[in-house]
Amino acid sequence: MRLEILPVLGIGDVTEGDDLAALIGAAAPWLRDGDVLVVTSKIVSKAEGRLVDVPADGPERLAARDEVLAAETARVVATRGATRIVQTHHGFVMASAGIDASNVDPTRLVLLPKDPDASARALRAALHERYGVDVAVIISDTMGRPWRNGLTDVALGVAGMAAMRDHRGEVDPYGNELQLTQMAVVDELAGAGELIKGKRDQVPVAVVRGYLGVAPPDDGAGAAALIRESALDLFSLGTAEARAAGLRAAATLPDRLGDAEADPAAVRRAIDAVAGVVAPGTVFTHVTDAEVRAGMTATVPDWPTSATGLILGAAPTPVDRPDLVRFGVDLQRLRTALAAEGVSSNLLPPPAGTTAVASLAL
Amino acid sequence: MRLEILPVLGIGDVTEGDDLAALIGAAAPWLRDGDVLVVTSKIVSKAEGRLVDVPADGPERLAARDEVLAAETARVVATRGATRIVQTHHGFVMASAGIDASNVDPTRLVLLPKDPDASARALRAALHERYGVDVAVIISDTMGRPWRNGLTDVALGVAGMAAMRDHRGEVDPYGNELQLTQMAVVDELAGAGELIKGKRDQVPVAVVRGYLGVAPPDDGAGAAALIRESALDLFSLGTAEARAAGLRAAATLPDRLGDAEADPAAVRRAIDAVAGVVAPGTVFTHVTDAEVRAGMTATVPDWPTSATGLILGAAPTPVDRPDLVRFGVDLQRLRTALAAEGVSSNLLPPPAGTTAVASLAL
């Protein structure tokens, strides 16, 4: 058993309206059942007319490019300097939404195919209809990734095979059940194709032979299966963006109680976290005793009976107006530190008959 | 021109102290100059004795595993439930630091090789010395990635070729200079090797033939070149972790002035951001006029001359103690919203002779 990776030579320049199946069929009459075609997305985009006219240079070009990018963007993920990592309407997270200015006339930009899985299905069907070959088709593009330098080619679309090979449930020779082993084989195939495409100019299609015995009769679920829902992704936002979101959340922290009793250790950590920045003499005391809490409903008219604890805040004495403002600033610091520990709080006046300046219901 | 991917069959089980070069040389006497060997890191780890004994099950196993993970971790990147994404001491960002419990006895865990580039160099040198072949060696492992489902194999170590192929500075047929096109070819080669290794049980080594003309005489810079410094990474922390860091930063926001004049639009956005949550009647006024600012040094004894603007805060009247505390809370909300816009602030008493309750120097 061996795999072969073969270049498809002689396709030449692709322009709008070109018939990709005819170009590939003519250039690779040697295609066989079970071959996996790796097709650079750019020629698919060009054939499908996914091109936008833009000025060749100057600020007009930048402005036009920004407009195109905004239209291709479903969600901004991270930005730094001129870099824009966005999620496209397809769901791919890519720099500049995959918009490309290379290998095209300087007055045009190339957008990603509108529906790469559909493009792959159409090309596979056309090759089958006209040349009688049953192949799988991968539409590939180049992407960066977090944590590792360098780019790799991955799949935007696929037809004729599953995007992933699932080893879950298999048992290794030692009797351990394999877990977390859904391999994104179409991404590995796209990268393998790049190895030969990248070595030669103008080689937009590679063929991987020997991977599939025969292509399955159906198209499969497509590369859409590779898109992780952003709510499930641990890296749905850039670090700077998520940090700023944390600051904004602190600015608009709601007055509300948590759903469960606050962990005293978490409250302790929050108090300790602000100890170095609050005004000297400011003391925050965490009270968890049930009887003390019960007494609160008598001394603070609007004390919420569902509160599971309280923090009493004592300011340094004597307390004049700027001190009270500063105390409020420090109290909000504490509330923010509590929020970082997952503890909600509700700002209330101090209990009657105490020297506390304010209280927080937890 | 074509590439071939060949399995190396018959290596069998690898145990501590095994001589990998001898095992591979015996199993693949057909190796040639310029071949790229893709070697699963697990057999390298096993041969190098990177194994830890742990209980086979129960809470003791989990505790032992946690301890091993902590030792392999340089920095925690993201956690959710039982998932731990960490940066290893090598610099790789991986789930569970690459610690693996599959394809090994249930009472042992396999750690990553200590120095995968060194392992690759040693194996390449041994194959050259004993069998006279000049090959490149890639040590590969399986990793997940943000945004895309499924795992792929990538390179942990490499010797005998560069980790990346650099197209920067090349000009495409349309005259556009290529940018951002450092291809991580060793990752693509590792993935290509997985395509054949993953299809067969117990095939820990694949050979990619035809990619290199001849292996270069030196080892190259290794896969360490693929590690992006976390300070340069837009995704150095998980979204939840970065958001919590933003909350913690809000809790300990320093009293300090920015380096440059605050953008009035940014200040406006911050004031607007808290408008819905501050006490009704609270007014924040941004003053940028130079003369007004100059006057501050007369009315506020400690007004910093380097301040480039001020915000005056007026509380609703009448102002009693809980109102002043609440005003301080709201003022800190504003300061946090300013910080989210990149604007530093310094809390000061109000100017003499005004009705303001506090002021912020920007």
Side-chain angles (χ1 to χ4, degrees):
Chain A
M1 176 185 183
R2 67 178 56 196
L3 306 185
E4 286 179 297
I5 311 176
L6 309 163
V8 176
L9 304 175
I11 287 185
D13 209 17
V14 174
T15 55
E16 188 166 351
D18 276 353
D19 179 341
L20 275 191
L23 292 174
I24 292 170
W30 41 264
L31 281 181
R32 287 189 209 153
D33 286 356
D35 281 349
V36 179
L37 266 69
V38 181
V39 182
T40 301
S41 75
K42 190 168 298 169
I43 65 166
V44 178
S45 296
K46 284 180 169 181
E48 294 179 354
R50 293 277 292 159
L51 297 154
V52 182
D53 291 313
V54 290
D57 48 33
E60 297 79 12
R61 180 182 174 86
L62 293 177
R65 198 189 141 84
D66 282 351
E67 211 169 295
V68 173
L69 176 53
E72 294 293 298
T73 297
R75 185 175 76 86
V76 176
V77 172
T79 67
R80 185 186 287 179
T83 302
R84 298 273 175 285
I85 316 281
V86 308
Q87 187 159 27
T88 68
H89 298 293
H90 321 84
F92 300 119
V93 178
M94 299 176 73
S96 304
I99 298 166
D100 202 340
S102 68
N103 287 297
V104 69
D105 194 281
T107 64
R108 309 190 94 178
L109 297 176
V110 185
L111 312 182
L112 295 188
K114 195 92 183 171
D115 181 346
D117 280 330
S119 303
R121 286 193 299 267
L123 181 55
R124 164 171 145 86
L127 288 167
H128 185 258
E129 190 182 309
R130 298 198 216 150
Y131 303 98
V133 285
D134 200 359
V135 298
V137 173
I138 293 171
I139 313 288
S140 71
D141 205 352
T142 305
M143 292 191 197
R145 61 261 169 98
W147 317 324
R148 291 174 76 81
N149 292 320
L151 313 175
T152 61
D153 270 22
V154 296
L156 296 183
V158 63
M161 65 179 290
M164 287 184 275
R165 181 175 148 82
D166 199 338
H167 297 271
R168 286 178 302 179
E170 293 177 21
V171 173
D172 74 21
Y174 294 83
N176 306 297
E177 190 172 324
L178 297 178
Q179 294 178 326
L180 285 175
T181 44
Q182 285 190 292
M183 297 303 297
V185 289
V186 289
D187 284 346
E188 294 180 327
L189 286 161
E194 197 281 324
L195 290 169
I196 201 157
K197 293 190 297 179
K199 296 272 284 183
R200 301 183 71 113
D201 285 349
Q202 304 289 84
V203 179
V205 182
V207 172
V208 181
R209 175 165 290 171
Y211 183 73
L212 296 177
V214 288
D218 65 340
D219 288 322
L226 295 176
I227 295 172
R228 184 179 297 139
E229 210 186 306
S230 68
L232 299 178
D233 202 301
L234 299 185
F235 300 88
S236 57
L237 269 185
T239 300
E241 286 74 13
R243 191 176 176 284
L247 285 168
R248 285 195 300 273
T252 56
L253 216 57
D255 261 341
R256 68 177 192 86
L257 301 176
D259 302 324
E261 187 153 7
D263 172 14
V267 174
R268 184 75 256 157
R269 283 195 298 272
I271 292 174
D272 289 348
V274 299
V277 290
V278 301
T282 300
V283 176
F284 296 117
T285 309
H286 183 206
V287 182
T288 55
D289 178 78
E291 287 186 64
V292 172
R293 284 189 277 123
M296 290 299 290
T297 51
T299 57
V300 181
D302 51 356
W303 185 258
T305 51
S306 60
T308 61
L310 78 99
I311 294 177
L312 294 172
T317 48
V319 179
D320 61 10
R321 287 164 58 107
D323 289 335
L324 285 166
V325 171
R326 174 71 198 261
F327 177 80
V329 163
D330 290 342
L331 192 63
Q332 182 68 2
R333 291 182 188 278
L334 174 62
R335 297 185 67 200
T336 306
L338 287 165
E341 297 284 347
V343 178
S344 300
S345 63
N346 210 5
L347 174 63
L348 292 170
T354 71
T355 58
V357 181
S359 62
L360 292 179
L362 305 181
Chain B
M1 177 186 182
R2 68 180 54 197
L3 306 185
E4 287 179 297
I5 311 177
L6 310 163
V8 175
L9 304 175
I11 288 185
D13 208 16
V14 174
T15 55
E16 188 165 351
D18 275 352
D19 180 341
L20 276 191
L23 292 175
I24 293 169
W30 41 264
L31 281 181
R32 288 189 209 153
D33 286 356
D35 281 349
V36 180
L37 267 70
V38 181
V39 182
T40 301
S41 75
K42 190 168 297 170
I43 65 166
V44 178
S45 295
K46 285 180 169 180
E48 293 178 354
R50 293 278 291 160
L51 298 154
V52 182
D53 291 313
V54 291
D57 47 34
E60 297 78 11
R61 180 182 172 87
L62 293 177
R65 199 189 139 85
D66 282 350
E67 210 169 296
V68 173
L69 176 53
E72 293 293 297
T73 297
R75 186 175 76 85
V76 176
V77 172
T79 66
R80 184 186 288 179
T83 303
R84 297 273 175 284
I85 315 281
V86 307
Q87 185 158 29
T88 67
H89 298 293
H90 321 85
F92 301 118
V93 177
M94 299 177 73
S96 304
I99 298 166
D100 203 340
S102 67
N103 286 297
V104 69
D105 193 279
T107 63
R108 309 191 94 178
L109 297 175
V110 185
L111 312 183
L112 295 188
K114 195 92 184 172
D115 180 346
D117 281 330
S119 303
R121 287 193 299 269
L123 180 54
R124 165 171 143 85
L127 289 168
H128 185 257
E129 191 182 308
R130 298 196 216 153
Y131 303 97
V133 286
D134 201 359
V135 299
V137 173
I138 293 171
I139 313 289
S140 72
D141 205 351
T142 305
M143 292 191 198
R145 59 265 168 94
W147 316 325
R148 291 175 77 80
N149 292 320
L151 313 175
T152 61
D153 270 22
V154 296
L156 296 182
V158 62
M161 64 178 292
M164 287 185 276
R165 180 173 148 83
D166 199 338
H167 298 272
R168 286 178 303 179
E170 292 176 21
V171 173
D172 73 21
Y174 295 83
N176 306 297
E177 190 172 325
L178 298 178
Q179 294 178 325
L180 286 177
T181 44
Q182 286 190 291
M183 297 303 298
V185 289
V186 290
D187 284 347
E188 294 181 326
L189 286 160
E194 196 282 323
L195 289 170
I196 201 155
K197 291 190 295 177
K199 294 277 282 185
R200 301 186 71 115
D201 286 347
Q202 303 287 84
V203 179
V205 182
V207 172
V208 181
R209 174 165 291 171
Y211 183 73
L212 297 176
V214 288
D218 65 341
D219 287 322
L226 294 176
I227 295 171
R228 185 179 296 139
E229 209 186 307
S230 68
L232 300 178
D233 202 300
L234 300 184
F235 300 89
S236 57
L237 269 184
T239 300
E241 286 74 12
R243 192 175 175 284
L247 285 169
R248 285 195 300 273
T252 56
L253 217 55
D255 262 339
R256 69 176 189 85
L257 301 176
D259 302 325
E261 187 154 4
D263 172 14
V267 174
R268 183 77 256 158
R269 283 195 297 273
I271 292 175
D272 289 348
V274 299
V277 291
V278 300
T282 300
V283 176
F284 295 118
T285 309
H286 182 206
V287 183
T288 55
D289 178 78
E291 284 187 64
V292 173
R293 284 189 276 123
M296 290 299 290
T297 51
T299 57
V300 183
D302 50 356
W303 186 258
T305 52
S306 60
T308 61
L310 78 99
I311 293 177
L312 294 173
T317 49
V319 179
D320 62 8
R321 288 164 59 107
D323 290 334
L324 286 166
V325 171
R326 173 72 197 261
F327 177 80
V329 163
D330 290 342
L331 190 64
Q332 183 68 1
R333 289 183 189 276
L334 174 63
R335 298 184 67 198
T336 305
L338 286 165
E341 296 284 348
V343 178
S344 299
S345 63
N346 210 6
L347 173 64
L348 292 170
T354 71
T355 59
V357 181
S359 62
L360 293 179
L362 305 180

